[in-house]
Amino acid sequence: MDEIRRYLDAARSIAALTGAGISAESGIPTFRGLGGLWHQHRPEDLATPQAFARDPLLVWQWYDWRRNLIARARPNPGHFALAEIERRYPFTLITQNVDGLHDLAGSRHLLKVHGDIWTLRCSSCGRERHDPRPNIPDLPPRCTCGALERPGVVWFGESLPADTWRRAEQAARHADLFLVIGTSAAVYPAAGLVDLAKSAGARVIEINIEKTAISPIVDISLRGPAAQILPEIAA
Ligand code: BV8
Ligand code: ZN
């Protein structure tokens, strides 16, 4: 741990990439866990524009169910530790999570590369609004223009929000310390940020309860739950 703290103190700029694993200890199933929980549908089959076009109500029932689950969750010590690190170091947090728990924990330099489950976007006029209700009455919701609204998240096959993605690449390229926390690193282009940081000279530290696709290329692998390891690092 002190070796890691030395890296933190010596770093001129630090970036972190988080995935569903950091919210696991807040009671939110990880993406792979989620698949088994919901009417036997696979997330990859529901989180797509095709699924929404084919059956907007089914896709909305899935998101409404997840919003309901997330509304009952609170940030855990892992989320709070990252907000603490941001207060003390030059730090940018890149998250693949759409649950909003990093915001609730106080993170500000936050890049949500896969969007936000609490945002609704009109599928026609593009109007966006924040809707914090855990249960949306009369699914699927409609915009004042009459068209269907969709969850403000990035689906498989959709490109990531351009400006957010550009800033995420920039943060990864300029980091001399890159933390990869609670992600299977299976989804691109987000997972590619690890290679980008490494090739730009960053020291890469992975925090995960299991081995992942990027474990072979990281400098240090801390095997354990983020809610336990991150507070130790931030202490
Ligand atoms: C795009 C929002 C093109 C929605 C999400 C073949 C090869 C390579 C790529 C592709 C391919 N075929 C298709 C692609 C592209 C595709 C992709 O990568 N597919 C994967 C499945 C192979 N990517 C895309 O489609 C992206 N867009 O490429 O567009 C394009 C380009 C230009 C112009 C037009 C189009 C868009 C991807 C974004 C999809 N949206 N989320 C929603 O949430 O509903 S992705 C979603 O899944 C999550 O956001 C997250 O990113 C991902 C799941 O990953 P994780 O977060 O890592 O979660 P997971 O469950 O997998 O892992 C949890 C980890 O935590 C585990 O490692 C576990 O061990 C660990 N853990 C558990 N508990 C703890 C813990 N760690 C620490 N502590 C604990 N307590
Ligand atoms: Zn509209």
Side-chain angles (χ1 to χ4, degrees):
M1 272 311 149
D2 346 24
E3 186 192 8
I4 306 234
R5 272 196 219 99
R6 268 203 312 280
Y7 292 152
L8 272 170
D9 293 336
R12 282 184 327 286
S13 80
I14 307 165
L17 173 68
T18 59
I22 195 168
S23 294
E25 284 149 294
S26 295
I28 299 175
T30 63
F31 235 71
R32 296 186 309 192
L34 201 55
L37 288 180
W38 205 79
H39 309 311
Q40 306 320 316
H41 287 273
R42 286 180 341 121
E44 297 82 275
D45 298 338
L46 288 170
T48 70
Q50 293 75 13
F52 186 69
R54 190 173 51 245
D55 190 342
L57 181 58
L58 174 72
V59 171
W60 260 113
Q61 284 166 336
W62 183 52
Y63 278 95
D64 199 49
W65 174 77
R66 286 175 63 195
R67 285 161 55 106
N68 207 294
L69 197 73
I70 292 167
R72 293 198 296 274
R74 290 288 163 268
N76 64 58
H79 295 103
F80 288 115
L82 290 178
E84 176 57 31
I85 288 176
E86 179 186 298
R87 282 191 284 275
R88 300 212 321 256
Y89 296 95
F91 180 71
T92 303
L93 178 51
I94 304 157
T95 189
Q96 303 171 88
N97 298 340
V98 298
D99 57 31
L101 292 187
H102 284 306
D103 303 83
L104 287 181
S107 290
R108 292 286 165 269
H109 301 176
L110 179 57
L111 298 173
K112 300 177 195 170
V113 295
H114 290 162
D116 182 322
I117 203 166
W118 299 111
T119 298
L120 271 57
R121 184 169 71 242
C122 176
S123 56
S124 164
C125 74
R127 190 176 68 99
E128 286 198 351
R129 65 190 175 88
H130 175 79
D131 183 328
R133 294 174 299 177
N135 295 303
I136 297 178
D138 327 315
L139 293 174
R142 285 193 177 273
C143 171
T144 44
C145 81
L148 283 174
E149 288 176 304
R150 54 165 287 172
V153 301
V154 180
W155 279 330
F156 289 101
E158 293 188 321
S159 46
L160 280 55
D163 182 52
T164 307
W165 178 243
R166 192 180 46 70
R167 288 162 63 199
E169 285 187 310
Q170 209 172 8
R173 207 175 283 121
H174 294 119
D176 35 32
L177 183 62
F178 195 79
L179 310 175
V180 191
I181 305 158
T183 181
S184 59
V187 174
Y188 283 81
L193 291 170
V194 183
D195 297 323
L196 185 60
K198 189 150 177 68
S199 53
R203 184 174 279 112
V204 180
I205 299 176
E206 179 180 39
I207 296 168
N208 200 310
I209 55 171
E210 66 185 18
K211 221 166 122 45
T212 68
I214 52 148
S215 298
I217 65 158
V218 303
D219 297 285
I220 300 177
S221 248
L222 300 174
R223 192 70 71 241
Q228 178 204 315
I229 291 180
L230 283 170
E232 284 170 23
I233 293 180

